[in-house]
């Protein structure tokens, strides 16, 4: 059963709300002798997740009955090396070697978070309302968390509160479900609704560009989505990759390379483009859609082997972010600033998509050298140094008047914000400062 998309939280006792888990959706078939974990495209991933298989087989033996569950395989604990939960999970999808599988099960354990039951023993229960199926699921799993499988959280009647939690904890969003709705296999219905906090969805890769300078394997992915039988171009992303991911993507894409563009309107690219069969699905996080239907600040998050490329369309944005209003008396001045701000943002985007370093023009007479734009600053949110600089450019008209003529102190994390190296404060200006930065001596009390 598939969820539609909503822009407002439904209200009333007819709805219940669950976290939108960042994992791999599976239908789990469990008996005392066999367990299957089928993805949406029908691939059995049981061999890759032995801890889930063991837990489900043990559950079937203890309850002395078989079952069919709907749920999401998720990483049990967040990685400490900056890898997102989805990327950590993706690393396990294709592992076939038994020793490697066992190693991953120990280092990156996963759980099946079950949120629905379709078959309970000898009873097919999809015609029952969600509320009845939930009682069956609770009775089957119990309230305690057993390693390998656990019951999905749900909260009836107060979606706004859960949405606030989603925003604070960095969830992708929440799912609203009607408590009286039956389970409709394979149907996308308004009985289930996705409400997203961040803009993140799947796109089809239609090609890639040649790398620039020291970049290896590929430059950027050319992204699209299906609409009325045509693949529409949505933009490109050249950020969010590790060297290993770039190598893997190059190998995947060259195997499905073709001579002509799969897009309805082939895009113009700065570097030479290579076209592919539109069969590879990737997850991309972005800030918003532009007026001409392109992605703004897209960041690659991972490959989705469990999704059919033919099902990828444009998803409506759930949570619209409004820009602060500008007083009419200052509108003329801010218009000029906005042009500079957009120019700086565009320059940063281009440099991050190339080799992550270069010089940007910040004003009519000022320039700034930037480096390591692709360096991840905030691992949990996958935000890079480039993201931080683009954010500064966006808030400059608001924050610069407040810091004018004030001394600046930097709190620096030389080993990264999540490392144990600690932080220190830099109070003195360096020997060389960018043009336009005012440097003064400030006398302080002893």
């Amino acid at each position: 059963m598939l969820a539609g998309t909503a822009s407002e939280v439904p209200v009333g006792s007819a709805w219940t709300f669950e976290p939108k888990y960042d994992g791999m959706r599976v239908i789990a078939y469990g008996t005392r002798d066999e367990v299957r974990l089928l993805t949406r495209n029908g691939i059995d991933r049981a061999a890759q997740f032995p801890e889930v298989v063991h837990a489900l087989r043990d559950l079937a033996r203890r309850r002395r009955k078989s079952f069919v569950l709907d749920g999401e395989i998720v990483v049990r604990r967040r990685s400490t090396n900056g890898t997102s939960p989805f990327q950590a999970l993706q690393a396990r999808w294709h592992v076939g070697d038994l020793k490697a599988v066992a190693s991953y099960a120990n280092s990156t354990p996963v759980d099946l978070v079950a949120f629905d039951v379709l078959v309970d023993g000898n009873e097919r229960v999809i015609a029952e309302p969600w509320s009845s199926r939930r009682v069956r699921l609770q009775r089957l799993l119990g309230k305690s968390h057993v390693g390998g499988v656990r019951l999905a959280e749900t909260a009836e009647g107060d979606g706004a509160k859960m949405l606030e939690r989603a925003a604070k904890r960095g969830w992708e969003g929440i799912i609203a479900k009607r408590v009286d709705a039956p389970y409709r296999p394979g149907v996308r219905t308004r009985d289930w609704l996705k409400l997203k906090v961040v803009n993140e969805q799947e796109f089809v890769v239609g090609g890639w560009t040649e790398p620039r300078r020291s970049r290896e394997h590929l430059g950027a992915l050319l992204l699209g989505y299906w609409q009325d039988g045509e693949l529409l171009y949505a933009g490109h992303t050249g950020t969010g990759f590790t060297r290993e991911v770039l190598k893997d993507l190059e190998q995947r894409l060259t195997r499905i390379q073709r001579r002509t563009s799969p897009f309805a309107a082939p895009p113009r690219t700065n570097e030479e483009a290579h076209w592919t069969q539109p069969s590879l699905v990737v997850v991309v996080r972005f800030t918003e859609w532009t007026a001409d239907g392109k992605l703004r600040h897209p960041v690659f998050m991972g490959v989705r082997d469990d999704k059919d490329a033919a099902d990828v369309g444009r998803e409506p944005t759930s949570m619209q972010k409004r820009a602060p209003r500008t007083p009419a008396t200052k509108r003329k001045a801010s218009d000029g600033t906005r042009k500079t701000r957009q120019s700086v943002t565009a320059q940063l985007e281009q440099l991050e998509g190339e080799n992550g370093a270069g010089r940007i023009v910040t004003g009519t007479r000022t320039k700034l050298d930037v480096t390591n734009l692709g360096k991840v600053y905030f691992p949990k949110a996958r935000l890079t140094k480039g993201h931080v600089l683009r954010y500064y450019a966006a808030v400059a008209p608001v924050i610069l008047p407040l810091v004018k003529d004030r001394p600046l102190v930097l709190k620096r994390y030389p080993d990264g914000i999540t490392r144990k190296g600690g932080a220190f404060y830099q109070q003195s200006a360096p020997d060389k400062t960018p043009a336009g930065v005012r440097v003064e001596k400030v006398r302080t009390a002893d």
Side-chain angles (χ1 to χ4, degrees):
M1 185 165 171
L2 305 174
T5 305
S7 58
E8 296 183 359
V9 180
V11 296
S13 59
W15 294 91
T16 191
F17 302 89
E18 302 173 359
K20 191 176 188 305
Y21 296 98
D22 193 10
M24 180 174 68
R25 180 90 175 271
V26 295
I27 300 295
Y29 296 79
T31 71
R32 286 177 287 182
D33 301 316
E34 182 184 15
V35 171
R36 288 185 292 162
L37 303 173
L38 298 186
T39 65
R40 280 178 53 184
N41 53 3
I43 298 176
D44 188 358
R45 295 295 185 190
Q48 281 73 42
F49 304 106
E51 63 269 48
V52 175
V53 171
H54 175 78
L56 292 176
R57 185 182 293 122
D58 182 64
L59 180 65
R61 290 172 178 170
R62 285 188 287 109
R63 298 296 188 229
R64 297 182 179 180
K65 61 181 177 181
S66 59
F67 47 79
V68 178
L69 305 178
D70 190 357
E72 197 98 0
I73 293 179
V74 300
V75 174
R76 189 176 302 169
R77 54 178 179 260
R78 185 171 293 276
S79 171
T80 58
N81 62 3
T83 303
S84 71
F86 178 74
Q87 289 173 322
L89 176 67
Q90 185 187 15
R92 297 188 56 175
W93 287 7
H94 302 289
V95 177
D97 179 74
L98 293 179
K99 289 184 178 181
V101 169
S103 176
Y104 272 117
N106 181 58
S107 64
T108 316
V110 300
D111 291 326
L112 171 67
V113 181
F115 48 71
D116 220 320
V117 57
L118 315 185
V119 177
D120 185 15
N122 295 324
E123 297 181 78
R124 193 168 183 261
V125 298
I126 61 174
E128 295 182 6
W130 174 91
S131 55
S132 296
R133 300 196 310 275
R134 178 71 183 188
V135 172
R136 287 179 178 271
L137 186 62
Q138 289 174 329
R139 189 181 302 131
L140 178 66
L141 298 183
K143 295 183 179 180
S144 60
H145 173 209
V146 180
V149 61
R150 56 188 163 102
L151 183 67
E153 178 184 351
T154 194
E156 295 186 38
D158 195 350
K161 183 178 292 186
M162 181 170 279
L163 198 61
E164 289 181 6
R165 284 179 58 204
K168 291 179 180 178
R169 298 188 180 186
W171 299 350
E172 185 182 343
I174 65 174
I175 301 289
K177 297 181 178 180
R178 288 193 62 91
V179 298
D180 59 352
Y183 188 97
R184 298 170 180 166
V187 176
R188 190 174 297 279
T189 168
R190 301 292 294 176
D191 290 337
W192 287 9
L193 297 172
K194 291 183 289 188
L195 294 114
K196 294 188 174 183
V197 175
V198 299
N199 292 321
E200 182 177 298
Q201 72 161 83
E202 290 86 24
F203 290 93
V204 179
V205 179
W208 79 94
T209 61
E210 283 287 318
R212 289 184 179 182
R213 299 175 185 172
S214 60
R215 185 75 171 261
E216 296 180 315
H217 305 295
L218 59 85
L221 298 179
L222 306 177
L223 308 170
Y225 60 91
W226 293 104
Q227 181 174 299
D228 299 327
E230 293 183 325
L231 186 65
L232 303 186
Y233 180 63
H236 68 276
T237 179
T239 61
F241 307 106
T242 64
R243 182 175 298 177
E244 292 75 16
V245 168
L246 286 171
K247 182 179 180 180
D248 175 66
L249 286 171
E250 181 186 36
Q251 293 173 347
R252 288 173 180 264
L253 295 173
T254 51
R255 287 197 294 265
I256 56 174
Q257 191 170 1
R258 55 186 273 179
R259 293 184 178 180
T260 58
S261 169
F263 296 104
R268 297 179 61 183
T269 59
N270 294 328
E271 300 297 323
E272 181 183 357
H274 301 270
W275 311 112
T276 71
Q277 298 293 342
S279 57
L280 182 66
V281 180
V282 296
V283 182
V284 173
R285 181 172 291 177
F286 57 99
T287 56
E288 63 182 349
W289 288 94
T290 64
D292 60 347
K294 301 298 186 297
L295 299 174
R296 186 171 178 79
H297 306 151
V299 179
F300 171 86
M301 300 300 292
V303 176
R304 297 238 48 156
D305 289 330
D306 58 329
K307 297 293 182 72
D308 189 343
D311 295 333
V312 176
R314 175 171 171 174
E315 297 181 2
T317 302
S318 298
M319 305 295 291
Q320 297 291 343
K321 299 179 178 63
R322 296 182 179 179
R325 295 182 179 179
T326 303
T329 55
K330 296 184 179 180
R331 190 166 297 155
K332 183 175 180 180
S334 64
D335 286 344
T337 306
R338 189 179 299 115
K339 292 180 180 179
T340 302
R341 188 165 74 249
Q342 290 173 340
S343 174
V344 169
T345 301
Q347 293 174 73
L348 290 168
E349 288 177 341
Q350 181 177 348
L351 289 176
E352 189 169 357
E354 294 173 358
N355 64 349
R359 175 170 292 182
I360 60 173
V361 179
T362 59
T364 56
R365 297 181 180 179
T366 57
K367 298 178 181 179
L368 181 68
D369 291 325
V370 295
T371 60
N372 298 323
L373 294 179
K375 182 178 181 180
V376 176
Y377 270 11
F378 299 93
K380 183 177 180 179
R382 295 290 297 168
L383 296 178
T384 64
K385 181 178 179 180
H387 284 104
V388 175
L389 289 181
R390 290 196 295 269
Y391 171 75
Y392 285 153
V395 301
V398 178
I399 199 172
L400 287 180
L402 301 177
V403 300
K404 182 181 179 182
D405 295 327
R406 294 175 181 266
L408 176 67
V409 175
L410 303 180
K411 186 176 183 181
R412 304 188 62 171
Y413 295 81
D415 297 317
I417 198 167
T418 59
R419 302 290 177 86
K420 295 183 179 181
F424 69 92
Y425 290 92
Q426 178 182 337
Q427 297 177 326
S428 300
D431 293 335
K432 294 182 180 180
T433 58
V437 175
R438 177 184 170 190
V439 178
E440 298 284 354
K441 289 185 177 181
V442 179
R443 188 178 299 279
T444 59
D446 294 334

